[in-house]
Amino acid sequence: MVRTRLMGPLSWGWVKWPSVMGTGVLYLLLLSTCLGQDTEDWQYEECKLSRSGPPATIVAIDEESPNGTLLVENMQINGVAEGPDRTISLSLRDNRDYWVILDPSKQALYLNSTGRLLDRDPPSYIQSIVVQVQCTNELIGTVILHEVRIVVRDRNDNAPRFQQPRYYVAVSELTPVGTTIFSGFWGNNGAADIDDGPNGQIEYTIQYNPKDPTANRTFDIPLTLFGSMVLRERLNYEEITRYLVIIQANDRAPYPSERRTATTTLTVDVLDGDDLGPMFLPCTLVGNTRDCSPITYKANVLELTEPNKVNPLNVTPPIQAVDQDRNIQPPSERPGILYSILIGKPQTYAEYFSLNRTTAELLLLRPIDRELYRRFDLVIKAEQNNGHPLPAFANLQIEVLDENNQAPYFLETSYHGYVSEASPVGTTIATSGSLSAPLAIVALDNDVEETKDPQLQFSLDSYSNVFSVSATGIRRYITLLQPLDRETQDFYTFTLLASDGVQQSFPVTVTITVLDANDNTPTFANVSYNVNLFTDMMPGETVLQLSAVDSDAGPNGQVTYRILAGAQEHFIIGNSTGIISVAPGVDLAVGRSYALTVEAMDNGPAPQRRSSITTVYIEVLPPNNQSPPRFPLQQYNLEISEAMRTGATLLNLQAVDRERDTITYKIHSGDPHGHFALKENSGTLVLDKPLDRESLDYYTLVVTASDGQPDGTSTAMVNIMVMDVNDNDPLFISSLTVNLTVTEEQDNAFVGQVKATDPDLGSSGQVHYRLVNHQKLFSINATGAIRTTVPLDREVKGHYFLIVEAWDGSVDPRRSRLTLSVTVLDVDDNIPVFTQQTYNVNLPENSPKDSVILQLKAIDADLDSNLTYRIRSEGLDPEITRLFRVDPGTGELSVLKVLDYEALKDSEPTYMFTVEALDREGTMPPGLASVTVTIIDMNDFPPVFSQSAYRGMVAPNAVKGTIVTTVTANDSDPAGTPAGLVRYKVDQDAYPYSASIFDVDEHTGHVVTRVNLNEEPNLKFNLVVVAYDDGEPLKENTTLVEITVLQPSVIPVFTQEEYRFAPVSEEADVGTPVGVIVAAAVNQTIVYSIIEGNEGGVFALNETTGVISTAKPLDYEANSSYVLRVEANSMRVVSSNLRVPSKTNTAKVMIDIQDENDHPPVFTTSLYIGGVAEDAKTFTSVLQVQALDQDTGNYSSMIYRLIIPPQPGKDTKKSKDGFVIEPYSGVVKTAIMYRNMRRSYFKFEVVATDNYGQGHSTKAEIVVSVVNQLDMQVVVSNVPPTYVEKNKNKLLSILERYVQDQIPGAKVVVETIGPNRHGDGMEQEDYTKSDLMIYAIDPLTNRAVSRQELYKFLDGKLLDINKEFQPFLPPGGRILEIRTPDVVTSVKKAMQTVGYTEGALLALAVIIIICCVPAILIVIITYRQFKERQAECAKTARIQMALPTGKPGGGTANNLYEELGDNAMRGYGQQEQTQQLLRPSLLRPEELSMESGIDPGQDYYTQDYYNYEHGYELPQYGSRRKLISPAGLYDEYGEVVVDDDGSYYYSPQESDAEHGCRKHRIKLVTDREYETSSTGEDSLPEPQRSRLSSTVNSHANVNGSIYMAQNGSIIRTRRSVNATLPTHPHATTNNNLKLASPVFSSRLAKHFKKLDKMAATLEERVPLNNPRTAADGGCNTLRTFQSSGVAASATATSSLSNTDNNKTLNVFNTRQSSVSLGSTSTSNTGPESAASKSNLLKAAQGGAEQQPQSTAETGELREDERESRVDGGDEDDDDGLVMREPLECPSDRTQSDEEELWMGPWNNLHIPMTKL
C-alpha cells in the first residue's frame, strides 16, 4: 500500500516542490525500514508450531498396536519440509529403539513395530515413548526441538496369576461367625496382574465347588479387593473337617466380558474345638443322630462287706466317659473328665458310695446292711475340668446282695429236653416229646430271696455253640443256636453249672433228645433190577428182595412196599419185607418178561409222607437143573467207621444153592486197594486194611458165589459207606500270604484273608476261626476275612503278629494255628509336634549378630516326613522378622542384630511369636509352638553413691536398731531388672570394730546400730558401706560413713514418753490444735519433727513450739486413731542435716478421732417390693427394710417411719393407714385387711433417720402388691421344711434370678414354708418333704406375675435350679415339681363336678327367664315415664334460667373417678371460678350403667373376676375403677390455641395475681381416636391416629373439650365468642332460680348416695366418636359447679336448669396415673372439701327449705368457703347466678343435651379420663 501510494500521480499542484521532495525522501526511509522488519519476522516463524496450546504433543496408543499405526497426523509445524520451496527440514532425535517413523512431507508420525510388539507390561515395561522432532530453519539456520510424548495405554491382555500354587488355613470350629479367617491374599501373597489400572486391579470371589457344595455358603469375601475371607456360618468339626474353597481372582476391566480370571483352591481345615461335652461309653447312637442312647451301669456289692476288701467296686460296663471333641490340638489342651454323683435314691447314698473324680472308680464307704437298703439308683455326671457347660449323665444301679455264703443249687438233679430236628434257630427246648411246654431250669441261691432273680451265670461244658441258656430270670430256658439233624446226631448230653461269681453249684446233666422229622425219602439201592426166573419156580418162592433205606426214625423210617404196575397178578410183594415172590397158582411160561414198578413209602403223617419207586425187570427162562447159587439179597448196604479195627467182621454173605453144591465166594470188583477180604468158604466179609474216609468214603463191592458149574455163578452188590471220624486237623492253605498290610486310621479296613480246610465230614469238617491275640484291634469272620475293629495308629504301633486259630466243629475239636505278620502303613495324619509347646529364651543384650539362641525341634510321627521350620507370618509384628530368623532345615533360631537393652522401648523387652514346623510333602497343617525371647540386661553400670562420704550422729546410749543416717546409691541400669536393683552391705574388713556395732539395711540403706550403744561421747567411727547390684557380672561401689557420738547434754529429752490428747472431732477445721509436745535440752534450741505415723500428712507439727494441729480434714470412718512418733533434735544437729535418734528424744503421740454424724443413712435399695395376701391377718410381716450408716454408735442407730399418703376422697382424720412399721427393726406390717383387693398395690415411702430419729434422714419407696393363691406356685422338694427354712434366702435368690431372666427386676416372695400336702383334698401332710409357696411381683406393673408365667419361668429350668440348690440342701435333696396351690386345684375339681346338676340348673334358668319377661316390660314402661319426667325437668330448668339469680352453691365437687392403688389426688390452685349447673343427664343411672356395667339398682363393691375353666386370666391393666362422691372442683380454665407448627397449646386465663406476668402455655397431645389428649409418647398405632374426624381438626372444635396436659393438669377449654356479657361484677341474668321439687331433690340425693357406693367396674370399650345431637342454636355458657353445706339446695336447684341458650357442663378433676406416666402425685392444695358428702345429701333432700336463707346465714360461711366461690367476687354476689363467661353461638357444632360419660383407655399408656 505504501508503494502504491508513492507511485501514484501527485496532483498537489499548490504544494511547493522542495516540500514534496522532502516528504518523499522521508517516506522512502520509512518504507525501507518497514519492509526490512517484515522480512525478518517471516523467516523466524518457520519451525514454530502453527497451533496454540502446550509446546509438547501428547498422544495415546494402545499396547500391541499394529505396525504403521498413525501416532500424529500432522505436527502443525510452520514451513515446507520438501520440494523446491523447502524452508525447513525435519528429523527425529532420541528415538530409542526406533519405535517412531517420521514422514516429513505430511509431518506425520507412525509406529514402527516390525517384528516385535509394543508391550506395556513386564518385561518390556514400555509405558511411554518420548521422541524429539528436530526442525531446522533452512532460511536462518536455527533448530527447534518439538517433544512428542506417546503414552502407551494398557490392554487387558494378562490374566491374574496366584503367587502360590495352593493356600491353606486352619480354623477352629469355635471361631465366631463374622471373623476374618484368612487374609493371605493381601500383599504379595495373593494374585497379581501385570496389567495397569483397572485391568491390573484384582478382586476375589468364592466360586461354587461341585465337590464341596457347602463351601461357598460357609465362607464369604465381603471386601473383594482385599480378599479377606470371613466366616458366614458356624463350623462343626464333627460334620465337616475340611473345606475346599475355590477362589476366583478377576481383574476389573471396564467391560465385564473382557475381564480375565484365575482360580485357586484354598484348603480350610477345621480344627476341633471344645464345643461338645463328654459322653459315656459305650455309646449307641440313636438313629442317624449323634446322640447316645441312655446307658445304665450296674454293680453289685455284698452286704456287710468291708470297703477295703472290695474297693474299687466292679461296674459293668466300666464307667468311662470321653470328650466328644477328641482331636483338640495340641493334646495338652484337651480337657480332663471329672466324675461325680448328681442325685440318687435313697437319699443317704452319699454315706455309702463315692465316685473318684478323675478315675470314675466306684468306692464303697462303709458296709451296707441289706435289711436297710437293697438297691441304690444313682445318676452320675461327667463334666470337663474346664467348666464346659454340657455335662453327660448316666444311670448307675447298685444291687446290695445277700452275704454270699451259700452256693447256688438246681432244683432237679438232671433235666431231659426235647426238640424237633426241624426246629428253627431260637427255638426253646421243650420238656416233653409233645413240645407243648418249655423246659424250665431253675437254680436258686439262698443268698437271694426266692422271689428275686439270683442273677446267676450258667455255663455249658460242651455244645455251647448249639445251645444257650437265657441270661436272666429265676426260670431259665435253653434255646437253639443252630439247626439240628437227628440223622447226624440224635441226642446231646452236657453238664450245666450255675455260679454267683463266688460260689458254684454242683453240675447237673442235661440230655436233649432230637425228635425225628420226616425229612428223608426212602431210597432204593438201584434204579432198576434184572432177575431171571425159571419155569420150575414154585408159587411162593422168592424172586427178589428189595430194600429201600429211610434214615428217619420210627414211623417216618418204616418203609412199606407195594407193586404199582406190571405184576399182572403173577407176583406179590411183602409190605414190610420187600420180598417179591411168585403168586400162588401161577405157572410161569418160558419167554415171558415182566417190568414191575415198585413203590417204597414211609409211614409218616399222611400229609408229610415221602416215597420213591424202582423197576424190576423179570425174564422167565426154561428150567435148569444146574442153577447157580443165589444170594438172599441182590444188594447189601453197610455203614462202617473209618476207625474200625482190621479183622473185624462186617457182613456174612450166605448164598443158597438148590443143588447144595459147594459154594465159593469171591470179591469180583470194587476193592482196588484190597481193604476188604471175603472168606471163600464161609462168605464172611472182613476188614483187611485200615480205612481212610478222606481217601475213599464209599465202596461198591461186587461179590460172587459160584458152585463150580458153568453158569453157576451169581452176584450181589455190597454198598459200604465209610463213616467219618474226626481224625484230621484243619489245615491252612499255604498259598495265601502271611505278610499282610493295612493302612492306619481306617475303621473296618480289610487286612487279609486266611483259609483252612478240614477233609472231615459234618461238623468235624466245618472250620471256625478266631483270633488268639489283639482281639480288640482285629476281627475275623466265618470266611477267614480279617478286618480292623478300630482305626489303627501306626505311630502307636506299626507292626502286629496276629495268631489265627482254626478249629473244627467236633465235640472234641482239633485245632491248628497260623501266625500272620501285619504291617501298618503310614498316612500323613499327624501334625508335626514340637518337643516343647512353649519356648522361653533369655537373650543377653549385646549378643553377637547371627548368634544361635535356640534350637527348635519338632517331630512328625509320620514316616518320611520332611520338616521345614519358619516363623508364622499371620499377625506377625514386622519387627520380629528384622530381629530373628529360623533356619528352615535345622530349626536354629538366631538373632539378626546386636540388641541394646537400654535402647529398647519396653521396660521389659520381650518378643513373642509363633514358629511352625511344616511337612513339605504332607497335607496336614503345621505344628505350632510359641517362642518368648526376653532380652536380659547385662549390667552395664555399677551403683553410684549420691555422696562420696556420709556423716551421722548417734547418742551414746542409742538402742539397737537406731537409724544413724541413710546412704543412697543409684544404678543406671533399667529399674526393675537385677542389674538395676541396688543393695547395701557393710565391708567387714575395712573397719571391723565399727562393722561390729553398726550395720546397714540391705534394701533401704539405713545405717543402724547393731547393739545397744554404751560409748564415750565425741568418739568417731568410720564405716565402709558397699552398694552392689544383682546383674551379670556383679558390680559394686563403696562409700565412707563417719559417725560421731554426741554429748548427752545436746540431746533433747521429752517430758513424756507417750502423749495422749483429748479426742478431736472429725469435723474440726484444718488448723485446729490437737496438743503440745515439750522437750528440753541444755543451752540448745530444739526442733520438733514427726518421723512416723503421719503418712497422709493429716497432722502438722510446729517445729519450734511443738504444737500439733490438723493439716487435712479428718474422717473417722477412714481412720479412727493415729499413732505418731515425734523427735526432738538440737538446732546444731538439724543444721548439719543430721538427726540423732535416742531413747530420750523420741516420743509416741496418741490421737483419737471423735465420730460425728456426718453420713446420712443409705437404704440397701431404693425400691422395696413386697406382697401381702388378701387373707393376711393384721400385723402380718410383709417385708423388712434396712438402712446402713457409716457412722458409729447412736449415729448409726435408725428409726424408721412410713409416709403413707391419704387415700383420695376420704377423710384423712378417719382413714386408717394400710401399713405400719416397727421403728427399730424396719419390719413393715399390715394394719388393715385386704379382702377383695387382689391386683391392687400400695405405694408409699419409708424414712430412715439416724441417731434414733434425731439426725439425718433418707427415703426409699415401698410397693406392696395384694395377691392371693391364684398368683402363687408351690415348689415341692424332697427335704424337710426345716432345711428350706434354714436356707430360705439362698434358695429364694436362686429362684429370683431365674425369674429375673424373663422379667428384669422381678421380686420373688415366700408366702409359706410347710410340709408337703398330698392326697385327696390335700389333707395329708408329709414332713419328709416340703412345700415352698412363692409368687413374683413385676416391678413395671407392681402386680403379681401370673401363675402360668411363673410356672413356665421355673419349670423349664428345673434341672438347672436343682444343680444350684445342691450346696444348700442335704445329699439327694432336690425340687420334685412345681405345682398349683391347693385352692386352685380344689376349685378346678369343683368346677368339673358341676356336671351332675347341669340339667337342673338349665331348667332353673329357663324358669327365671320366663319370669323375667314381665319384669322387663315393667322396666321399659318405667323408663319411658322417666324420660318424660326428665324432659319435664329440663323444661322446668329452662324456665328457671329466666328467673333472677339465686344463691350459688358453696361446696366443691371432687374427682369422679379414681384409679385403685393410687395414693394421692392432684389438687390445683383456684384461679378463676365460674358457677356451673350440674346437668340432670350427667347423673342418670342409665348412662353410668352404660359405661361401667353396674346395675343402678344395686350396691357394688370391689370385685375380682376369675375364670377357673381356663386358669386365672389377668384383668387388663386399668380395668379397675372406683367411683367416689363429688367432693372437689377443678378450677383451671383457659383456651386452646394452635401454633404455627400445628401443635395445640393450652393457655390458662390469668388471675389478678398473675396479671402482667409472662403468659405460660401447656402443650397438648391430642388423642386422635378418643378426642382426648394424653401426655408422653403417642402410643397408638398410625391407623388409629388417623381416625380423627374433620371437625376435631378445626381450632374452633378443639375448644370446648377436656384435655390432659403434660404437667398432669386437666383443663376445660372455651369456645370462641361472638358476644360477651356485661363485665360488671353484679351483672346477672334475667332468669331467677326456681326451687326444685322435693321429688327430684330426693332423687338427686339418692343418686349421689349410689355414686358413693359404686366400686370397681369392668371397663368396656364403647365407641367414643359417637355423633352428637345438635341442640338449639343458642349460646353456651360454661360454669363451675360448687356446693357447700349451707347452700346445697342451690346446687340441687341449679342442676335442674338447662336451657338451649345456656348449657352448663360440670368439669371434674381427673387424677394423673403414676403408673403410666411415672409422675409424683401431690395433695390437693385447695380446700379439701367445702362441704362433706353428708351435707351434700342433706342439701339435696332439703329442697326449698334451705334456699331462702338470710344474708346473715350466708355471711356465716367459713373463710375457705368464701375463697372457693365463683369468680372470686364479693360476698354480696353470692345471691345470684353470676355470668362472667362470654357467650358463643357456634354454627358448626352444638352440644347435645345428653353426652355420654366415658373413660380413656389405660392399656396404651393414656391417661384415664372422664369426658363430659
Side-chain angles (χ1 to χ4, degrees), residues 1343-1395:
R1343 293 175 172 88
V1345 177
S1346 70
R1347 176 168 46 84
Q1348 292 85 348
E1349 289 182 345
L1350 184 60
Y1351 177 83
K1352 293 177 182 177
F1353 298 161
L1354 298 180
D1355 188 68
K1357 299 288 186 179
L1358 199 56
L1359 182 60
D1360 298 332
I1361 295 175
N1362 271 326
K1363 294 179 185 178
E1364 297 194 37
F1365 269 27
Q1366 286 301 313
F1368 311 112
L1369 298 180
R1374 61 187 179 92
I1375 297 177
L1376 300 177
E1377 62 172 338
I1378 309 291
R1379 66 171 176 84
T1380 304
D1382 311 339
V1383 173
V1384 180
T1385 305
S1386 60
V1387 170
K1388 288 184 178 180
K1389 291 182 178 179
M1391 294 295 292
Q1392 295 172 357
T1393 59
V1394 176

Side-chain angles (χ1 to χ4, degrees), residues 1254-1274:
Q1254 303 299 321
H1256 301 287
S1257 298
T1258 187
K1259 292 183 180 180
E1261 196 172 28
I1262 299 178
V1263 173
V1264 180
S1265 181
V1266 182
V1267 300
N1268 64 15
Q1269 290 194 16
L1270 293 175
D1271 302 315
M1272 303 179 188
Q1273 289 289 354
V1274 178

